[in-house]
Amino acid sequence: MSHKNNQCIHCSVESCQHHTINGMCSLTDIQVAPKQNCCNGKADESQCNSYRCRW
């Protein structure tokens, strides 16, 4: 798989270890996954699977 490094990932989840002060994700890419037992066709049925707790 080819990746271009011009992607910009905005994130406001301050509890994630990849969150930076300026509201950006420090990862070059993220994994998005469906929530378990959720298929409602709305934005809340997915989650960032790259999340790691800062604390």
Side-chain angles (χ1 to χ4, degrees):
M1 182 187 299
S2 177
H3 293 281
K4 292 184 179 181
N5 290 330
N6 61 354
Q7 185 172 7
C8 184
I9 304 169
H10 297 273
C11 180
S12 58
V13 182
E14 294 181 13
S15 64
C16 182
Q17 71 182 16
H18 306 298
H19 180 267
T20 63
I21 294 171
N22 61 357
M24 303 293 286
C25 178
S26 63
L27 294 172
T28 56
D29 60 13
I30 62 170
Q31 177 66 40
V32 177
K35 289 182 183 177
Q36 203 168 20
N37 301 319
C38 182
C39 187
N40 60 15
K42 297 180 182 177
D44 68 348
E45 77 174 68
S46 64
Q47 64 186 13
C48 178
N49 235 30
S50 301
Y51 173 86
R52 297 295 175 261
C53 184
R54 178 182 304 270
W55 302 289

